[in-house]
Amino acid sequence: MHCSIPDPALRWDIFCQVIDNFGDIGVCWRLACNLAQRGQIVRLWVDDASALAWMAPDGAPRVEVRAWTTPLDLAGIVPGDVMIEAFGCRIAPEFIAIYASNIRARGQKSIWINLEYLSAEDFSARCHGLPSPVMFGPGEGLAKHFFYPGFTKDTGGLLREPNLLVSRAQFDRDAWLAGLGVEWRGERLVSLFCYEPAGLGDLLDTLAHDTQPTRLLVTHGRASEAVREEISRKMSLKPLWSKREKLLISYLPQLTQTEFDHLLWACDLNFVRGEDSLVRALWAGKPFVWQIYPQDDGAHGPKLDAFLTWLQAPPSLRRAHDIWNGLNTSAAADPQRPWLTPQNLADWQAAVELARQTLLGQDDLAQALITFALKTN
């Protein structure tokens, strides 16, 4: 019998600045936990850790959270073997200085990783793993390496816990819904995690007037606010807008990362936003529609198109994404709404399942980082 040998334990320092919407801290926390689950020792430096109080209230073994202050409090700190600057943040120069001094004293190579945003665009594979010499500052003479998460074998992969599929198989939907106080009676379940999507009003109309009852499980925060505002607008214009009572809405409390996975596993269709929830929707293996983070220069359009091309999305799923993201005026004017026909949902399910099986044949992001760090060291 072949026995796998655990990777040697490296010490990792991950730096994260919280910009908005909790995406940065969500990905960095999952990464820290994924590394720790593989025997690594992780220190997460974050400038605002408040979201972890509800996102991961129990913490995680082998993960230490440190405040990223200015200046950085380095009393008693010995830098680890690997530095990760996540999503374009700049590691505190005082930390870089002691890291550089420490590895030189030990005769080790620099393992300094610039972890980039997730994209299916071609540049991710072209630039993945490339070195960038540091020409000035406290890290002068060291080198960073660009590390691109991605959907193909020539990128860094996606975050995936070692026990994820086992947990998914053991999930009890009825018990989970009951624990949330959701009185589910077999109606279709749809989750909603969004910003303020262009297609929200259209989706609510479709659900309210469909022949099949639907329970919409709406996440806390911007999604709940958007739904309440849109329904209030509809009711002011047409008080009997939802008189058929085919649409039931449950507003959810803030969910931990584990509970968010459970939400996606429980539903028949998921609406997700941003980077972290896109990956979780793929692992859930259910039909989903992604709201990509909108950018003023329109760069989100080609990024979404690249993802849908990789997914081999059927035409109906592309139309749904166009309407949801407000990217295609001709799609928005199409009277044939693509949301919930049985054939469309079956086609979306097949595309997601094929993509998930492909991804399961590739290294996940944490394992790819460990392999890269050990090879570099």
Side-chain angles (χ1 to χ4, degrees):
M1 178 183 296
H2 174 72
C3 296
S4 61
I5 300 175
D7 292 311
L10 299 175
R11 294 172 300 141
W12 302 67
D13 285 289
I14 302 174
F15 284 79
C16 172
Q17 287 183 325
V18 178
I19 305 302
D20 58 8
N21 302 316
F22 312 116
D24 294 332
I25 183 63
V27 172
C28 288
W29 178 255
R30 283 198 194 273
L31 173 59
C33 294
N34 273 220
L35 290 168
Q37 287 168 349
R38 290 164 170 82
Q40 306 299 294
I41 302 167
V42 187
R43 193 161 42 201
L44 175 61
W45 299 85
V46 59
D47 62 343
D48 180 3
S50 58
L52 294 179
W54 55 265
M55 191 180 292
D58 298 327
R62 304 171 73 94
V63 177
E64 177 189 2
V65 178
R66 301 280 303 199
W68 184 351
T69 56
T70 304
L72 198 62
D73 180 6
L74 295 174
I77 294 295
V78 177
D81 304 293
V82 187
M83 291 192 303
I84 294 181
E85 52 188 19
F87 312 126
C89 73
R90 294 290 180 261
I91 296 176
E94 56 268 35
F95 188 91
I96 296 173
I98 64 168
Y99 174 81
S101 175
N102 201 43
I103 63 168
R104 285 167 178 152
R106 299 197 309 249
Q108 293 180 331
K109 293 182 179 179
S110 163
I111 313 175
W112 183 350
I113 295 171
N114 186 334
L115 183 66
E116 294 286 348
Y117 286 101
L118 173 65
S119 178
E121 294 171 286
D122 291 342
F123 68 80
S124 294
R126 288 199 310 270
C127 299
H128 176 61
L130 292 181
S132 176
V134 178
M135 306 302 293
F136 55 86
E140 182 179 353
L142 304 182
K144 303 182 189 183
H145 285 84
F146 294 101
F147 211 91
Y148 281 82
F151 305 93
T152 57
K153 289 184 177 180
D154 49 3
T155 62
L158 304 177
L159 287 170
R160 183 178 78 244
E161 295 77 17
N163 63 344
L164 180 62
L165 296 185
V166 173
S167 298
R168 173 74 177 84
Q170 296 173 345
F171 175 65
D172 185 333
R173 175 164 68 173
D174 291 3
W176 184 76
L177 290 168
L180 279 178
V182 175
E183 297 181 359
W184 182 54
R185 294 181 175 84
E187 63 271 17
R188 176 175 50 207
L189 294 175
V190 177
S191 76
L192 184 62
F193 179 53
C194 63
Y195 307 112
E196 296 79 26
L200 178 59
D202 185 83
L203 174 65
L204 293 174
D205 283 339
T206 300
L207 296 177
H209 302 124
D210 197 23
T211 57
Q212 180 179 350
T214 296
R215 181 172 294 277
L216 189 64
L217 301 177
V218 185
T219 56
H220 181 80
R222 288 177 67 171
S224 292
E225 293 167 6
V227 169
R228 287 190 169 102
E229 182 177 335
E230 183 62 26
I231 289 178
S232 176
R233 187 187 69 82
K234 289 182 181 298
M235 295 295 287
S236 68
L237 296 173
K238 192 175 181 181
L240 298 180
W241 165 76
S242 188
K243 66 178 181 179
R244 296 178 64 185
E245 298 183 350
K246 293 294 185 179
L247 175 58
L248 308 169
I249 298 179
S250 295
Y251 294 98
L252 305 179
Q254 286 182 317
L255 300 176
T256 67
Q257 287 191 328
T258 299
E259 291 297 281
F260 183 75
D261 280 339
H262 292 169
L263 171 65
L264 300 181
W265 299 350
C267 289
D268 304 298
L269 173 64
N270 294 307
F271 287 83
V272 295
R273 77 179 200 205
E275 176 176 325
D276 183 56
S277 65
L278 169 64
V279 174
R280 308 318 291 185
L282 281 165
W283 296 135
K286 299 292 189 69
F288 69 85
V289 177
W290 178 35
Q291 185 183 11
I292 190 169
Y293 189 77
Q295 295 174 271
D296 292 338
D297 60 1
H300 58 292
K303 183 175 180 179
L304 177 60
D305 182 68
F307 169 72
L308 293 173
T309 298
W310 168 83
L311 185 65
Q312 301 180 61
S316 61
L317 187 53
R318 282 186 172 273
R319 288 201 306 276
H321 276 86
D322 284 341
I323 294 170
W324 193 239
N325 288 278
L327 287 173
N328 187 324
T329 54
S330 63
D334 184 355
Q336 299 299 317
R337 289 321 202 195
W339 301 124
L340 297 172
T341 69
Q343 184 59 58
N344 284 348
L345 290 178
D347 291 343
W348 301 1
Q349 174 75 55
V352 172
E353 187 56 39
L354 178 61
R356 184 171 72 156
Q357 290 304 314
T358 300
L359 291 169
L360 288 172
Q362 303 171 14
D363 275 350
D364 62 88
L365 177 59
Q367 187 57 57
L369 281 165
I370 293 171
T371 301
F372 180 82
L374 291 173
K375 182 176 66 175
T376 304
N377 194 37

